[in-house]
Amino acid sequence: MAKLKNGKLRRKDGVWDPLKDSSTDKQRAAGVPKTPQSESPAYRLAYADEDFLCREELRPVRLQLELLKVEMSLAERGIKSTVVMFGGARIPAPGMQAWAARNETQRHNLEAASVYYDEARKFARLCSEHAAKSSYQEYVVVTGGGPGVMEAGNRGADDVGAPSIGLNIVLPHEQAPNAYVTPELSFNFHYFAIRKMHFMMRAKAITVFPGGFGTLDEMFEALTLIQTGRMAPIPLILFGKDFWHKMINFEALADFGTIAPEDVKLLHFVDTADEAWKVIGSFYELA
């Protein structure tokens, strides 16, 4: 019988595994004598060779890795469901300047929209207080991890000592994760498609605050999944009745015939965090 060395022959899940683990071999490979052969890119272990992993032919593997890394992390944390918060990165916190404004009209509109920052923060607190009842396994707040409404969502969870998820993405301009995302749940993506999948995979509700092209893209993708039956119907809540009715005439789409009249009913329009949580509580019959 093989002799145990501090239990190292069992994996974290308790399964017996006498094979040498890849991390150990990675360390050993890094310590071999420096020769023309060992320093050649060809000699690198495939899974430790970043240049190899970034080759065009390895795109399917990279897609899989982005799916697996977050899925495994959330599963290990015991997170079973989430509440998604989409919204504009350019909306400032109350009292802060609209850093993204290009003119006086934009400055006025964005700073007035700080009310949505407040409501997003309050809504995240409500979700997180309910999540505490399940030891933060259900109704965990997830945002895009950036500034604006996303920051407000993570900040609201942080206000009550709750964990929250941030799904950031590499963009041409700086897009660092906001300071309120739980560090162990702060993820970064290259592929928009895989990021979108992670938003949907545990979603028990989706909230959408005023935003730009990215927010609209996320909203319509979620709406299409529900409309086409590719996703179970869940509460899809739009914050800011005046904003949404001004920007998009959903009723006109129904009148024209390009969507069914009942499709408009997939959307819930609210102005406050309390209204939004009431929609979720009624849908899931929460006490």
Side-chain angles (χ1 to χ4, degrees), residues 25-41:
D25 272 359
K26 180 182 176 183
Q27 293 173 356
R28 286 181 174 173
V32 300
K34 303 299 181 183
T35 68
Q37 291 76 22
S38 67
E39 292 191 307
S40 167

PDB file of all heavy atoms in Angstrom, residues 25-41:
ATOM      1  N   ASP A  25       4.523  19.455 -10.952  1.00  0.00           N
ATOM      2  CA  ASP A  25       5.356  19.325 -12.147  1.00  0.00           C
ATOM      3  C   ASP A  25       5.656  20.693 -12.769  1.00  0.00           C
ATOM      4  O   ASP A  25       6.732  20.895 -13.351  1.00  0.00           O
ATOM      5  CB  ASP A  25       4.682  18.422 -13.172  1.00  0.00           C
ATOM      6  CG  ASP A  25       5.036  16.959 -12.944  1.00  0.00           C
ATOM      7  OD1 ASP A  25       5.820  16.678 -12.011  1.00  0.00           O
ATOM      8  OD2 ASP A  25       4.521  16.099 -13.678  1.00  0.00           O
ATOM      9  N   LYS A  26       4.741  21.618 -12.650  1.00  0.00           N
ATOM     10  CA  LYS A  26       4.989  22.968 -13.162  1.00  0.00           C
ATOM     11  C   LYS A  26       6.161  23.608 -12.424  1.00  0.00           C
ATOM     12  O   LYS A  26       7.038  24.246 -13.030  1.00  0.00           O
ATOM     13  CB  LYS A  26       3.734  23.826 -13.013  1.00  0.00           C
ATOM     14  CG  LYS A  26       3.896  25.251 -13.525  1.00  0.00           C
ATOM     15  CD  LYS A  26       2.626  26.057 -13.306  1.00  0.00           C
ATOM     16  CE  LYS A  26       2.819  27.504 -13.733  1.00  0.00           C
ATOM     17  NZ  LYS A  26       1.615  28.333 -13.463  1.00  0.00           N
ATOM     18  N   GLN A  27       6.181  23.435 -11.097  1.00  0.00           N
ATOM     19  CA  GLN A  27       7.285  23.978 -10.293  1.00  0.00           C
ATOM     20  C   GLN A  27       8.610  23.294 -10.633  1.00  0.00           C
ATOM     21  O   GLN A  27       9.658  23.938 -10.743  1.00  0.00           O
ATOM     22  CB  GLN A  27       6.966  23.818  -8.807  1.00  0.00           C
ATOM     23  CG  GLN A  27       5.788  24.661  -8.335  1.00  0.00           C
ATOM     24  CD  GLN A  27       5.391  24.358  -6.896  1.00  0.00           C
ATOM     25  OE1 GLN A  27       5.946  23.459  -6.262  1.00  0.00           O
ATOM     26  NE2 GLN A  27       4.420  25.103  -6.384  1.00  0.00           N
ATOM     27  N   ARG A  28       8.548  21.985 -10.805  1.00  0.00           N
ATOM     28  CA  ARG A  28       9.775  21.251 -11.123  1.00  0.00           C
ATOM     29  C   ARG A  28      10.319  21.645 -12.495  1.00  0.00           C
ATOM     30  O   ARG A  28      11.533  21.793 -12.679  1.00  0.00           O
ATOM     31  CB  ARG A  28       9.496  19.753 -11.077  1.00  0.00           C
ATOM     32  CG  ARG A  28       9.343  19.213  -9.660  1.00  0.00           C
ATOM     33  CD  ARG A  28       9.093  17.724  -9.663  1.00  0.00           C
ATOM     34  NE  ARG A  28       9.086  17.188  -8.303  1.00  0.00           N
ATOM     35  CZ  ARG A  28       8.771  15.953  -7.991  1.00  0.00           C
ATOM     36  NH1 ARG A  28       8.444  15.098  -8.947  1.00  0.00           N
ATOM     37  NH2 ARG A  28       8.796  15.553  -6.731  1.00  0.00           N
ATOM     38  N   ALA A  29       9.420  21.834 -13.449  1.00  0.00           N
ATOM     39  CA  ALA A  29       9.850  22.204 -14.797  1.00  0.00           C
ATOM     40  C   ALA A  29      10.516  23.575 -14.803  1.00  0.00           C
ATOM     41  O   ALA A  29      11.440  23.827 -15.595  1.00  0.00           O
ATOM     42  CB  ALA A  29       8.658  22.190 -15.748  1.00  0.00           C
ATOM     43  N   ALA A  30      10.053  24.446 -13.922  1.00  0.00           N
ATOM     44  CA  ALA A  30      10.627  25.793 -13.853  1.00  0.00           C
ATOM     45  C   ALA A  30      12.017  25.780 -13.240  1.00  0.00           C
ATOM     46  O   ALA A  30      12.783  26.754 -13.392  1.00  0.00           O
ATOM     47  CB  ALA A  30       9.716  26.709 -13.050  1.00  0.00           C
ATOM     48  N   GLY A  31      12.356  24.703 -12.540  1.00  0.00           N
ATOM     49  CA  GLY A  31      13.643  24.641 -11.848  1.00  0.00           C
ATOM     50  C   GLY A  31      14.707  23.840 -12.556  1.00  0.00           C
ATOM     51  O   GLY A  31      15.789  23.619 -11.989  1.00  0.00           O
ATOM     52  N   VAL A  32      14.457  23.399 -13.777  1.00  0.00           N
ATOM     53  CA  VAL A  32      15.471  22.611 -14.485  1.00  0.00           C
ATOM     54  C   VAL A  32      16.616  23.519 -14.917  1.00  0.00           C
ATOM     55  O   VAL A  32      16.453  24.741 -15.047  1.00  0.00           O
ATOM     56  CB  VAL A  32      14.863  21.900 -15.721  1.00  0.00           C
ATOM     57  CG1 VAL A  32      13.744  20.966 -15.302  1.00  0.00           C
ATOM     58  CG2 VAL A  32      14.378  22.918 -16.746  1.00  0.00           C
ATOM     59  N   PRO A  33      17.817  22.986 -15.123  1.00  0.00           N
ATOM     60  CA  PRO A  33      18.952  23.805 -15.560  1.00  0.00           C
ATOM     61  C   PRO A  33      18.651  24.540 -16.861  1.00  0.00           C
ATOM     62  O   PRO A  33      17.943  24.030 -17.741  1.00  0.00           O
ATOM     63  CB  PRO A  33      20.065  22.765 -15.758  1.00  0.00           C
ATOM     64  CG  PRO A  33      19.680  21.627 -14.862  1.00  0.00           C
ATOM     65  CD  PRO A  33      18.190  21.567 -14.893  1.00  0.00           C
ATOM     66  N   LYS A  34      19.185  25.756 -16.969  1.00  0.00           N
ATOM     67  CA  LYS A  34      18.958  26.570 -18.154  1.00  0.00           C
ATOM     68  C   LYS A  34      19.880  26.117 -19.278  1.00  0.00           C
ATOM     69  O   LYS A  34      21.115  26.220 -19.180  1.00  0.00           O
ATOM     70  CB  LYS A  34      19.199  28.046 -17.845  1.00  0.00           C
ATOM     71  CG  LYS A  34      18.343  28.592 -16.712  1.00  0.00           C
ATOM     72  CD  LYS A  34      16.862  28.497 -17.021  1.00  0.00           C
ATOM     73  CE  LYS A  34      16.022  29.076 -15.893  1.00  0.00           C
ATOM     74  NZ  LYS A  34      14.564  28.925 -16.130  1.00  0.00           N
ATOM     75  N   THR A  35      19.293  25.591 -20.320  1.00  0.00           N
ATOM     76  CA  THR A  35      20.044  25.164 -21.505  1.00  0.00           C
ATOM     77  C   THR A  35      19.264  25.645 -22.733  1.00  0.00           C
ATOM     78  O   THR A  35      18.094  26.019 -22.623  1.00  0.00           O
ATOM     79  CB  THR A  35      20.166  23.624 -21.555  1.00  0.00           C
ATOM     80  OG1 THR A  35      18.854  23.069 -21.798  1.00  0.00           O
ATOM     81  CG2 THR A  35      20.729  23.069 -20.252  1.00  0.00           C
ATOM     82  N   PRO A  36      19.886  25.631 -23.886  1.00  0.00           N
ATOM     83  CA  PRO A  36      19.142  26.017 -25.096  1.00  0.00           C
ATOM     84  C   PRO A  36      17.870  25.183 -25.290  1.00  0.00           C
ATOM     85  O   PRO A  36      16.855  25.670 -25.779  1.00  0.00           O
ATOM     86  CB  PRO A  36      20.149  25.782 -26.231  1.00  0.00           C
ATOM     87  CG  PRO A  36      21.477  25.972 -25.572  1.00  0.00           C
ATOM     88  CD  PRO A  36      21.309  25.396 -24.190  1.00  0.00           C
ATOM     89  N   GLN A  37      17.947  23.916 -24.878  1.00  0.00           N
ATOM     90  CA  GLN A  37      16.784  23.046 -25.031  1.00  0.00           C
ATOM     91  C   GLN A  37      15.670  23.403 -24.030  1.00  0.00           C
ATOM     92  O   GLN A  37      14.499  23.524 -24.400  1.00  0.00           O
ATOM     93  CB  GLN A  37      17.190  21.577 -24.858  1.00  0.00           C
ATOM     94  CG  GLN A  37      18.060  21.030 -25.963  1.00  0.00           C
ATOM     95  CD  GLN A  37      19.499  21.512 -25.847  1.00  0.00           C
ATOM     96  OE1 GLN A  37      19.942  21.908 -24.752  1.00  0.00           O
ATOM     97  NE2 GLN A  37      20.229  21.509 -26.964  1.00  0.00           N
ATOM     98  N   SER A  38      16.045  23.576 -22.758  1.00  0.00           N
ATOM     99  CA  SER A  38      15.023  23.825 -21.736  1.00  0.00           C
ATOM    100  C   SER A  38      14.424  25.222 -21.841  1.00  0.00           C
ATOM    101  O   SER A  38      13.312  25.465 -21.364  1.00  0.00           O
ATOM    102  CB  SER A  38      15.604  23.621 -20.333  1.00  0.00           C
ATOM    103  OG  SER A  38      16.574  24.614 -20.043  1.00  0.00           O
ATOM    104  N   GLU A  39      15.165  26.161 -22.461  1.00  0.00           N
ATOM    105  CA  GLU A  39      14.652  27.509 -22.611  1.00  0.00           C
ATOM    106  C   GLU A  39      13.888  27.715 -23.913  1.00  0.00           C
ATOM    107  O   GLU A  39      13.347  28.783 -24.160  1.00  0.00           O
ATOM    108  CB  GLU A  39      15.796  28.524 -22.505  1.00  0.00           C
ATOM    109  CG  GLU A  39      16.406  28.594 -21.102  1.00  0.00           C
ATOM    110  CD  GLU A  39      17.338  29.779 -20.946  1.00  0.00           C
ATOM    111  OE1 GLU A  39      18.251  29.914 -21.773  1.00  0.00           O
ATOM    112  OE2 GLU A  39      17.127  30.569 -20.002  1.00  0.00           O
ATOM    113  N   SER A  40      13.817  26.684 -24.721  1.00  0.00           N
ATOM    114  CA  SER A  40      13.038  26.768 -25.957  1.00  0.00           C
ATOM    115  C   SER A  40      11.544  26.756 -25.638  1.00  0.00           C
ATOM    116  O   SER A  40      11.098  25.996 -24.765  1.00  0.00           O
ATOM    117  CB  SER A  40      13.373  25.586 -26.865  1.00  0.00           C
ATOM    118  OG  SER A  40      12.437  25.489 -27.918  1.00  0.00           O
ATOM    119  N   PRO A  41      10.720  27.571 -26.318  1.00  0.00           N
ATOM    120  CA  PRO A  41       9.260  27.533 -26.106  1.00  0.00           C
ATOM    121  C   PRO A  41       8.672  26.141 -26.292  1.00  0.00           C
ATOM    122  O   PRO A  41       7.684  25.788 -25.658  1.00  0.00           O
ATOM    123  CB  PRO A  41       8.732  28.506 -27.161  1.00  0.00           C
ATOM    124  CG  PRO A  41       9.855  29.465 -27.382  1.00  0.00           C
ATOM    125  CD  PRO A  41      11.109  28.624 -27.256  1.00  0.00           C
TER     126      PRO A  41
END
